[in-house]
């Protein structure tokens, strides 16, 4: 059983394509687990029927906390790109947040700041290690950018919780983005 593929498919469905899976998604990003399961099982692409314990196993072995289950529902905690805006809980993050990215994006980031690009929010990390992992997806030697959260809060920028290591915001203007 390919649990990595199942994990990717669940994230894809919840973050990017709930309509392809005929999922009703609420404003916090939750869908009924039963809906998700029946839709995934319709494809018959896995060697067995996918059940709740398979999803729980995917969550358990995952390197990142991407999913959350509350009662009968499941959601992706971050990463959404769907047109419907997913509301996240606003909160006060640690005083410094990091963003790992590719060197080639720096000129544009210096000019325009950090933008959500294809997602709904800019994703920030609480520690350099996490930011490095994020940046390595796009560059073997990523750059780590640092955001002074106090200054950002003074500018009226709001931060939202993704998970313990991932924070979200709408954008960070260039003057608040520093090289680490
Ligand atoms: C860059 C993964 C040019 C930004 C990760 C990033 C994360 C700009 C890319 C989560 C820019 C967007 C999100 C600007 C930002 N000009 N480039 N003005 N502003 N960028 O994937 O933060 O494994 O949408 O630096 O671990 O890389 O999927 O965002 O390089 O937590 O669970 O545009 O996705 O998690 O890329 O990653 P992304 P991200 P999962």
């Amino acid at each position: 059983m390919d649990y990595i593929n199942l994990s990717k498919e669940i994230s894809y469905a919840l973050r990017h394509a709930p309509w392809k899976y005929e999922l009703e998604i609420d404003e916090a990003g939750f869908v009924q687990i039963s809906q998700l399961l029946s839709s995934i099982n319709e494809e018959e692409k896995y060697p067995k029927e996918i059940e709740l314990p398979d999803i729980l196993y995917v969550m358990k072995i995952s390197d990142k906390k991407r999913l959350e289950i509350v009662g009968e529902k499941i959601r992706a905690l971050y990463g959404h790109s769907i047109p419907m805006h997913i509301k996240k809980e606003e909160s006060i993050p640690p005083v410094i947040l990091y963003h790992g990215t590719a060197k080639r994006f720096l000129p544009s980031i210096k000019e325009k700041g950090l933008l959500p690009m294809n997602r709904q929010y800019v994703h920030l990390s609480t520690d350099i290690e996490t930011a490095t992992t994020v940046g390595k997806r796009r560059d073997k030697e990523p750059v780590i950018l640092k955001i002074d959260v106090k200054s950002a809060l003074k500018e009226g920028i709001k931060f939202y919780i993704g998970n313990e290591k991932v924070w979200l915001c709408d954008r960070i203007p260039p003057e608040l983005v520093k090289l680490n």
Side-chain angles (χ1 to χ4, degrees), residues 15 64 66 78 99 101 108 113 115 119 134 137-138:
R15 290 174 173 179
K64 297 176 181 173
R66 298 183 171 96
Y78 59 87
H99 180 86
T101 190
S108 169
L115 301 175
R119 301 191 199 256
V134 175
R137 288 157 51 249
R138 311 207 181 277

Side-chain angles (χ1 to χ4, degrees), residues 109-124:
I109 292 173
K110 277 184 187 156
E111 189 195 332
K112 298 178 193 150
L114 285 173
L115 301 175
M117 307 308 279
N118 294 327
R119 301 191 199 256
Q120 294 192 2
Y121 296 94
V122 171
H123 289 59
L124 302 166

Side-chain angles (χ1 to χ4, degrees), residues 129-142:
E129 199 192 335
T130 306
T132 305
T133 311
V134 175
K136 277 194 172 157
R137 288 157 51 249
R138 311 207 181 277
D139 189 331
K140 268 191 296 189
E141 290 168 25

Side-chain angles (χ1 to χ4, degrees), residues 26-96:
D26 73 14
E27 62 171 25
F30 281 108
V31 309
Q32 290 288 343
I33 296 170
S34 55
Q35 265 182 17
L36 178 66
L37 286 173
S38 60
S39 178
I40 287 177
N41 286 319
E42 241 171 58
E43 303 166 65
E44 294 185 354
K45 64 185 260 197
Y46 297 98
K48 66 185 267 303
E49 188 182 334
I50 305 302
E51 297 171 297
L52 177 60
D54 297 304
I55 298 184
L56 297 176
Y57 183 69
V58 158
M59 292 169 72
K60 191 176 150 201
I61 62 164
S62 174
D63 53 336
K64 297 176 181 173
K65 197 177 168 198
R66 298 183 171 96
L67 304 170
E68 180 183 43
I69 288 180
V70 176
E72 309 276 284
K73 294 181 171 186
I74 185 167
R75 68 171 171 177
L77 286 168
Y78 59 87
H80 300 87
S81 72
I82 51 172
M84 191 190 108
H85 187 71
I86 300 297
K87 271 199 189 157
K88 300 302 295 180
E89 185 195 336
E90 192 183 333
S91 191
I92 306 292
V95 289
I96 296 179

